[in-house]
């Protein structure tokens, strides 16, 4: 088996999941059976493509949308119960990403399945593109039709982070880019 290009490793634990209710945070706390506390990013966080340019001026996945997704999933989690939690950890950040939550062999949340195409996704390092190269109309469409295309649309950052890539989303992006004669 080769080296994982994302630098992530998987960890499985039994834990209670504590979800902040009022502050709108996308982070949760995992408390293991032994009392260890782990800060984790709620599934969907790395699908948020924030575009902070003068031209676009707003984020593509609004904080409201993030709260709706979090609250919908949180309705399936009882903080008093323990769940089997798989997390992805990285050496360079102080929190992890939740991969899957299950209870009694029933999957409650699976971040590795695309919510648009219902296909399994793979982890990869983001491909970074300049947000300035895209029309404003692209971003709402990208959010609806191919949110897990494996790209990051940045105003200035050149740092690539691990992200999910769905083959259906990637195909949708490639089709869109070809129709709009976007050279990538």
């Amino acid at each position: 088996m080769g080296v994982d290009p994302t630098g992530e490793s998987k960890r499985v634990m039994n834990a209670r999941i504590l979800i902040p209710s009022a502050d709108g945070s996308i982070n949760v706390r995992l408390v293991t059976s032994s009392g260890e506390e782990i800060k984790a990013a709620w599934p969907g966080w790395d699908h948020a493509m924030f575009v902070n340019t003068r031209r676009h001026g707003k984020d593509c996945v609004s904080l409201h949308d993030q709260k709706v997704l979090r609250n919908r999933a949180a309705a399936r989690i009882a903080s008093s119960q323990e769940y089997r939690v798989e997390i992805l950890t990285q050496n360079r950040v102080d929190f992890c990403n939740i991969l899957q939550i299950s209870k009694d062999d029933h999957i409650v949340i699976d971040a590795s399945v695309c919510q648009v195409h219902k296909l399994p996704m793979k982890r990869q390092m983001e491909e970074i593109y300049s947000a300035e190269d895209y029309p404003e109309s692209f971003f709402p469409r990208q959010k609806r039709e191919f949110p897990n295309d494996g790209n990051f649309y940045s105003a200035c950052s050149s740092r690539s982070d691990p992200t999910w890539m769905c083959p259906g989303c990637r195909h949708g992006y490639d089709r869109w880019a070809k129709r709009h004669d976007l050279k990538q």
Side-chain angles (χ1 to χ4, degrees), residues 34-115:
S34 64
E36 176 187 11
E37 284 198 26
I38 300 165
K39 189 166 109 178
W42 193 249
W45 166 246
D46 59 351
H47 306 313
M49 301 298 182
F50 294 104
V51 180
N52 298 311
T53 65
R54 284 191 285 295
R55 184 167 150 208
H56 299 293
K58 59 185 177 197
D59 56 349
C60 293
V61 177
S62 71
L63 290 177
H64 171 74
D65 291 341
Q66 286 290 317
K67 287 180 199 177
V68 168
L69 290 173
R70 186 208 57 204
N71 291 341
R72 193 176 302 148
R76 296 184 257 163
I77 303 291
S79 61
S80 61
Q81 297 184 21
E82 276 199 355
Y83 294 84
R84 181 181 180 275
V85 182
E86 286 185 51
I87 58 174
L88 295 171
T89 61
Q90 297 178 30
N91 293 332
R92 65 182 189 177
V93 293
D94 64 349
F95 64 89
C96 58
N97 289 299
I98 293 175
L99 174 60
Q100 190 178 83
I101 299 172
S102 59
K103 177 111 178 118
D104 302 325
D105 295 326
H106 172 70
I107 295 173
V108 179
I109 293 172
D110 189 346
S112 69
V113 175
C114 177
Q115 293 299 306

Side-chain angles (χ1 to χ4, degrees), residues 116-160:
V116 174
H117 299 100
K118 309 300 184 219
L119 296 172
M121 299 185 288
K122 69 175 187 172
R123 292 294 273 180
Q124 69 172 35
M125 296 305 287
E126 296 168 324
E127 294 183 37
I128 299 176
Y129 297 110
S130 172
E132 295 292 327
D133 292 340
Y134 295 83
E136 279 190 56
S137 62
F138 167 78
F139 295 101
R141 184 175 194 165
Q142 187 266 346
K143 175 183 154 186
R144 275 189 325 274
E145 297 177 21
F146 40 94
N148 302 304
D149 58 10
N151 299 335
F152 180 69
Y153 306 96
S154 174
C156 60
S157 176
S158 61
R159 186 181 113 184
S160 183

